[in-house]
Amino acid sequence: MSAISPFLDGLDVSKPDVTTPEEVEAFKAFYQRTKGGLIASHAFWLEFRPDVLKRQRARARQTSAHEGAGMTLPHVLAYIHLYTILAFEEGILYEIKLAQSGGASRADILDALALAFLHSGPRGISAVAASSTEYLRTYEDPEPVQKFPETWSFEPGAFKSGIDYSSPEASAEDLRRLQDWYLRTIGEIPGHVRLLAKHRPALLKAYRNRFEHAVRDSLPKQMVPYMLLNYNVVRGNADGIRENLLLGRAFGMTKNQLLDAIAWGMSYGGPAALDVVEASVGELLSELD
């Protein structure tokens, strides 16, 4: 089991109304070891209502499928992605530290941040800069470990549509190649692609240039639909959920891996976010092995 697993946080979640001094010390030691110290929200509940914290930690232990309980880095990187979009400075830094404890290289972190920049705007990256610049400057890559599922792989050309980026204008050939990429990869063309191709083709090309080159150095291609699926669950975006579930399926992600990304989105989207998942991709999920 991964050293950053929530199962190792020292709390006996079967007894939420009783918290011993030994549990408190074990919990603090876990966070010191994996994140450099307690986060403010956990310290608050530990002082005033530890039962609330214990029930939250019990939920965290059930969020990932048991087959993935020992490999927690994907959802940690997804939280770096989400917290950057939310401009949550404390969260960005402690998840970077946790990712490092889980085996992430600095290149992994920067790839995740580059993808987040597509949706965070300057505000999100300003939060990264304020909280994490010094830490990233001196970041030491951990010893290599099996940090992602064995079938996941870094593939530099995975998102290349064949668009010619030597000029800013979008030619008919550029648009054809992009649409072919979507049809070949996920089997349909998303609405935003159809709209921008018709009304703002140069903007579509400029966005696609950013998207195709965000993950540059190390992240497995499967982390892109994982992070974007998680984010779209949080914001309740049905079309984004569908597009990224289809992309994850095309990249060979298992049903449980896709459900992990969805389930971690419930932490911020609440159970109502899963109503959107059921409406948009419930049948697709049921069809997966």
Side-chain angles (χ1 to χ4, degrees), residues 81-286:
H81 176 264
L82 177 62
Y83 288 165
T84 298
I85 295 168
L86 298 177
F88 176 25
E89 291 187 15
E90 181 189 15
I92 294 165
L93 180 58
Y94 77 64
E95 292 295 352
I96 287 175
K97 291 179 179 178
L98 185 60
Q100 185 180 33
S101 298
S105 67
R106 185 168 69 169
D108 293 333
I109 304 294
L110 292 174
D111 277 354
L113 292 173
L115 190 71
F117 190 35
L118 296 179
H119 300 96
S120 74
R123 182 170 182 262
I125 301 305
S126 293
V128 174
S131 66
S132 308
T133 294
E134 291 304 319
Y135 196 83
L136 287 170
R137 280 177 179 156
T138 58
Y139 192 102
E140 294 185 6
D141 286 354
E143 291 295 320
V145 295
Q146 183 64 42
K147 53 191 176 182
F148 298 109
E150 291 184 358
T151 56
W152 291 20
S153 61
F154 171 58
E155 187 178 321
F159 303 97
K160 297 292 191 297
S161 61
I163 289 177
D164 178 6
Y165 291 115
S166 63
S167 66
E169 297 304 317
S171 67
E173 179 64 13
D174 288 333
L175 297 177
R176 184 192 67 77
R177 289 184 178 187
L178 178 58
Q179 291 169 357
D180 284 352
W181 183 89
Y182 275 105
L183 291 173
R184 185 172 66 251
T185 307
I186 68 172
E188 59 191 48
I189 301 172
H192 73 274
V193 174
R194 297 194 303 272
L195 184 140
L196 288 175
K198 182 176 182 180
H199 298 291
R200 290 287 189 274
L203 175 58
L204 174 60
K205 182 174 180 177
Y207 173 81
R208 186 70 194 192
N209 194 3
R210 295 182 68 197
F211 176 77
E212 291 189 14
H213 298 96
V215 172
R216 188 193 69 178
D217 294 324
S218 62
L219 273 191
K221 64 182 181 181
Q222 291 83 0
M223 274 304 312
V224 172
Y226 189 107
M227 289 187 285
L228 292 177
L229 180 57
N230 173 265
Y231 169 55
N232 281 288
V233 170
V234 170
R235 65 176 180 160
N237 186 297
D239 291 338
I241 291 167
R242 178 177 178 84
E243 178 182 343
N244 287 288
L245 186 134
L246 290 172
L247 184 58
R249 183 181 70 173
F251 287 170
M253 294 175 69
T254 67
K255 181 177 182 178
N256 273 331
Q257 289 164 1
L258 293 165
L259 282 169
D260 281 356
I262 290 167
W264 282 107
M266 183 179 168
S267 298
Y268 282 83
L274 302 190
D275 295 343
V276 182
V277 174
E278 171 61 21
S280 59
V281 296
E283 291 186 9
L284 281 171
L285 281 168
S286 296

